[in-house]
């Protein structure tokens, strides 16, 4: 059969990959921060303001574009029914992005089809698709820019897509910058349409932040830098790197300092990349872009001590691309290479992600959401305030006004951090007098226990051990094997 007769194989492959993602919806594994974005979208619906607490403007979400997309899905499907359609939308966009990536890398439709499936079931690909974050949209936009802008050379794409990408996440300036530098080095010329697109994108994002929020960058960036600011010595930085590198350059988080699996993966990725770029092939241009971007982003974010694993999802899957190409294009013993990859890496990783998603979904959807649902029933006055961390599930499902410890959704606590960081939590309680406190510590055993006892009463204890049971024995074993969640104490302000 000729190659043209296989032209529909990538389409079948992407449908199969999407259906696999849909099965993961049953795990209810949704990232905490997704609910921040979704509450911002609903705040825009209810108050006409991009914010988190009523009419107060604040860029509580990292992504502006995804807020507007979430807003549209809320308008269409309603607050009770938008989540699954939005997750499906994210999964479909990621899968379309993987198709565009396959077009950049392969000519053979069989290779494209197998690539789409294997690439789509890697753990970071599953998380990008199902966890409700903006990375499905982002991956699609980035791959569309490469395919339509730099392969098909559509000038309008070079002008428009940088703005959409930056409006999704401002840190994508790294991706756009790597493309710009690689393109100059490769083609020995400047694409002025792309330069103009980048300038317009930066101007639009900065202008929107300034004129709407009165700030140059998103509040989320300012809040995290303020709260998580750390000054390390050179030796401490080395130790920090040693303890954390394995969680980001590999696809499997291991509870140990030494992660040999990560070293093997990274070395193999580099060797495959070197092998491929030594060949005379036009796709090397795109291989250089995705490989340099992946390494650059991980190095920058790890150097800034950014521990949130979603920053590393896209780099993780892109770094693995050379491995998939290398295996699929083997001239001899291809079946052995492919079978070995699937049996010893792809399937174990997918199985691990399945267990991880089931356990985490239980800890977040079944457990943490229950705290919000309890408060939603208990407190009918949604103008009451709660101080807690993090600001995802509990505020979303309780509907209460929220002060989070980091200051993502409330700027006033940032002022307390600036004034007296060691005591900012207590000072916020004294000055703001929130009706509810949710803490992973026993405040009645705190050094300021006398104050807490005089002003608050323990309303309810929430314990993860109470959510490890299931009628399904397999699920119960998974919940027990990998308990996910934090014990909390909920305090209510005493009536005076």
């Amino acid at each position: 059969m000729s190659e043209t007769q296989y032209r529909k194989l990538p389409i079948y492959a992407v449908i199969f990959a999407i259906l696999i993602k849909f099965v993961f919806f049953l795990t209810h594994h949704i990232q905490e921060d997704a609910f921040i974005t979704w509450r911002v979208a609903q705040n825009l619906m209810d108050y006409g303001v991009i914010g988190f607490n009523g009419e107060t403007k604040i860029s509580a979400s990292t992504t502006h574009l995804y807020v507007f997309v979430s807003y549209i899905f809320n308008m269409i499907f309603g607050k009770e029914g938008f989540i699954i359609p939005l997750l499906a939308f994210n999964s479909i966009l990621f899968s379309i992005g993987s198709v565009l990536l396959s077009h950049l890398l392969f000519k053979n439709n069989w290779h494209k089809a197998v690539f789409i499936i294997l690439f789509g079931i890697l753990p970071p690909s599953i998380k990008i698709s199902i966890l409700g974050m903006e990375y499905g949209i982002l991956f699609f936009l980035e791959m569309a820019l490469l395919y339509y802008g730099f392969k098909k050379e559509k000038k309008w794409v070079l002008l428009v897509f940088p703005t959409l990408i930056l409006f999704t996440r401002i840190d994508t300036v790294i991706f756009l910058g790597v493309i710009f530098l690689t393109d100059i080095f490769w083609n020995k010329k400047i694409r002025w349409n792309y330069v103009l697109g980048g300038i317009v994108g930066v101007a639009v994002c900065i202008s929107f932040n300034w004129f709407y929020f009165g700030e140059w960058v998103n509040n989320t960036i300012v809040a995290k830098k303020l709260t998580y600011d750390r000054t390390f010595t050179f030796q401490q930085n080395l130790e920090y790197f040693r303890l954390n590198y394995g969680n980001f350059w590999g696809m499997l988080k291991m509870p140990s300092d030494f992660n040999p699996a990560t070293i093997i993966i990274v070395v193999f990725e580099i060797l495959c990349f070197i092998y491929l770029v030594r060949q005379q092939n036009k796709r090397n241009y795109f291989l250089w872009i995705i490989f340099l971007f992946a390494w650059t982003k991980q190095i920058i974010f790890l150097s800034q001590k950014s521990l949130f694993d979603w920053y590393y999802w896209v780099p993780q899957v892109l770094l693995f691309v050379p491995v998939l190409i290398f295996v699929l294009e083997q001239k001899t013993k291809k079946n052995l290479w492919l079978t070995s990859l699937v049996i010893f890496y792809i399937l174990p990783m997918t199985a691990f992600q399945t267990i991880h998603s089931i356990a985490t979904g239980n800890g977040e959807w079944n457990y943490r959401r229950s705290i919000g649902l309890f408060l939603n029933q208990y407190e009918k006055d949604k103008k009451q305030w709660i101080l807690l961390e993090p600001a995802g599930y509990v505020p979303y499902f309780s509907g209460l006004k929220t002060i989070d410890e980091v200051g993502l959704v409330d700027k006033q606590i940032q002022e307390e951090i600036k004034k007296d960081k060691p005591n900012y939590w207590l000072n916020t309680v004294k000055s703001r007098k929130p009706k509810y406190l949710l803490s992973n510590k026993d405040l009645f055993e705190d050094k300021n226990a006398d104050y807490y006892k005089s002003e608050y009463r323990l309303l309810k204890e929430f314990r993860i051990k109470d959510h490890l049971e299931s009628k399904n024995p397999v699920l119960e074993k998974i919940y027990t094997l990998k308990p996910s969640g934090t014990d909390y104490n909920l305090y209510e302000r005493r009536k005076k």
Side-chain angles (χ1 to χ4, degrees):
M1 297 177 71
S2 65
E3 181 64 23
T4 56
Q5 290 176 295
Y6 295 129
R7 66 184 183 277
K8 292 186 178 180
L9 276 178
I11 299 175
Y12 297 145
V14 79
I15 293 173
F16 180 74
I18 290 172
L19 291 176
I20 291 176
K21 307 288 181 60
F22 284 3
V23 174
F24 276 86
F25 292 167
L26 299 175
T27 68
H28 294 294
H29 183 192
I30 302 175
Q31 178 63 39
E32 183 92 30
D33 285 50
F35 287 98
I36 297 179
T37 298
W38 296 342
R39 170 147 164 172
V40 172
Q42 292 178 358
N43 198 84
L44 180 59
M45 288 177 61
D46 296 337
Y47 298 94
V49 170
I50 299 175
F52 198 88
N53 294 311
E55 297 178 352
T56 303
K57 295 180 180 180
I58 186 171
S59 53
S61 173
T62 309
T63 168
H64 294 321
L65 181 63
Y66 191 44
V67 166
F68 292 122
V69 171
S70 300
Y71 170 85
I72 292 170
F73 271 78
N74 270 272
M75 291 289 288
I76 296 173
F77 297 98
K79 292 181 180 180
E80 301 298 325
F82 80 96
I83 292 180
I84 293 298
L86 183 54
L87 296 182
F89 178 71
N90 289 340
S91 299
I92 292 169
L93 281 187
F94 175 82
S95 297
I96 294 174
S98 69
V99 174
L100 298 176
L101 178 58
S102 74
H103 291 333
L104 296 174
L105 303 173
F106 300 100
K107 295 179 181 178
N108 184 299
N109 283 324
W110 274 102
H111 289 165
K112 291 180 182 179
V114 177
F115 172 84
I116 290 167
I117 293 173
L118 297 184
F119 183 81
I121 62 175
L122 291 171
S125 301
I126 293 171
K127 288 184 281 191
I128 289 171
S129 301
I130 71 164
L131 263 69
M133 301 284 278
E134 65 272 15
Y135 288 96
I137 294 174
L138 181 61
F139 185 79
F140 164 76
L141 292 174
E142 290 177 337
M143 295 305 106
L145 173 64
L146 290 178
Y147 181 74
Y148 291 108
F150 289 89
K151 184 176 176 65
K152 297 296 185 180
E153 298 187 334
K154 305 289 185 182
K155 293 183 178 179
W156 70 270
V157 172
L158 298 178
L159 285 170
V160 174
F161 271 59
T163 299
L164 295 175
I165 290 170
L166 285 166
F167 214 58
T168 306
R169 285 193 68 91
I170 195 67
D171 57 39
T172 52
V173 68
I174 300 171
F175 178 76
L176 299 175
V178 168
I179 292 177
F180 175 71
L181 294 175
T182 306
D183 189 56
I184 291 178
F185 181 82
W186 191 272
N187 295 306
K188 305 297 189 292
K189 65 178 183 180
I190 297 176
R191 298 183 198 242
W192 291 107
N193 284 333
Y194 183 59
V195 173
L196 179 59
I199 293 172
V200 170
V202 171
V204 167
C205 292
I206 292 178
S207 298
F208 180 80
N209 277 342
W210 178 253
F211 288 109
Y212 192 85
F213 297 109
E215 57 196 19
W216 294 111
V217 296
N218 295 33
N219 174 70
T220 52
I221 298 174
V222 176
K224 289 176 182 177
K225 182 174 178 57
L226 180 64
T227 306
Y228 300 132
D229 184 37
R230 297 168 180 164
T231 304
F232 283 8
T233 64
F234 178 74
Q235 186 61 39
Q236 287 174 321
N237 276 315
L238 287 179
E239 180 67 8
Y240 180 90
F241 173 82
R242 184 181 70 82
L243 292 173
N244 291 289
Y245 80 95
N247 286 338
F248 305 126
W249 286 337
M251 296 184 192
L252 175 64
K253 285 191 173 185
M254 290 188 173
S256 61
D257 297 349
F258 180 65
N259 191 339
T262 294
I263 296 175
I264 294 171
I265 294 166
V266 170
V267 170
F268 195 47
E269 288 171 346
I270 294 173
L271 291 176
C272 290
F273 173 76
I274 293 172
Y275 172 83
L276 293 173
V277 296
R278 292 181 65 184
Q279 302 172 353
Q280 297 300 316
N281 196 311
K282 290 183 179 179
R283 70 162 174 223
N284 289 354
Y285 170 68
F286 297 106
L287 273 177
W288 275 106
I289 287 175
I290 63 177
F291 208 70
L292 288 174
F293 159 67
W295 274 95
T296 301
K297 178 165 183 178
Q298 297 208 104
I299 290 171
I300 289 175
F301 274 69
L302 192 58
S303 70
Q304 297 303 304
K305 304 174 183 64
S306 300
L307 291 177
F308 305 107
D309 64 341
W310 51 89
Y311 294 149
Y312 303 88
W313 292 343
V314 174
Q316 283 172 353
V317 291
L318 291 181
L319 283 176
F320 202 71
V321 164
V323 174
L324 294 174
I325 298 174
F326 174 79
V327 171
L328 290 174
E329 294 187 348
Q330 284 298 305
K331 302 298 183 183
T332 61
K333 298 182 180 180
K334 178 193 292 189
N335 291 336
L336 177 61
W337 276 97
L338 184 57
T339 302
S340 299
L341 178 68
V342 171
I343 292 177
F344 295 108
Y345 191 78
I346 301 293
L347 290 181
M349 289 295 98
T350 306
F352 168 80
Q353 184 58 47
T354 302
I355 293 172
H356 175 73
S357 290
I358 291 172
T360 307
N362 177 63
E364 294 183 349
W365 184 264
N366 295 339
Y367 169 60
R368 206 191 306 268
R369 183 176 67 110
S370 71
I371 303 175
L373 293 174
F374 169 81
L375 277 165
N376 185 55
Q377 292 295 318
Y378 182 82
E379 179 55 72
K380 302 302 181 182
D381 181 4
K382 302 309 176 186
K383 293 182 180 180
Q384 296 296 334
W385 290 81
I386 183 171
L387 172 59
L388 50 64
E389 179 62 28
Y393 278 87
V394 176
Y396 183 87
F397 287 101
S398 70
L400 299 177
K401 289 192 172 184
T402 303
I403 310 167
D404 69 301
E405 293 179 9
V406 179
L408 298 181
V409 305
D410 182 271
K411 282 189 175 183
Q412 292 184 52
I413 198 170
Q414 294 178 24
E415 298 304 315
E416 296 290 351
I417 296 173
K418 292 175 184 176
K419 289 189 295 185
D420 185 8
K421 191 170 184 177
N423 300 300
Y424 80 94
W425 211 88
L426 175 64
N427 293 339
T428 299
V429 174
K430 288 182 175 180
S431 62
R432 303 281 294 277
K433 296 179 171 57
K435 185 172 182 179
Y436 298 98
L437 306 175
L438 184 66
S439 175
N440 57 9
K441 299 182 295 184
D442 185 350
L443 296 181
F444 291 169
E445 297 294 329
D446 187 81
K447 63 179 180 180
N448 300 297
D450 290 342
Y451 172 80
Y452 290 119
K453 289 178 180 178
S454 66
E455 298 293 326
Y456 289 84
R457 71 181 184 92
L458 179 64
L459 177 59
K460 188 174 177 61
E461 294 180 342
F462 295 91
R463 299 293 181 261
I464 186 61
K465 63 180 177 63
D466 298 330
H467 289 260
L468 300 181
E469 296 179 357
S470 173
K471 294 180 180 178
N472 186 311
V474 176
L475 292 180
E476 185 165 314
K477 287 182 180 179
I478 292 175
Y479 296 162
T480 307
L481 174 68
K482 192 179 184 299
S484 177
T486 305
D487 291 339
Y488 285 106
N489 292 330
L490 178 64
Y491 301 89
E492 182 183 19
R493 191 168 184 83
R494 294 182 183 275
K495 296 178 181 180
K496 300 294 184 179

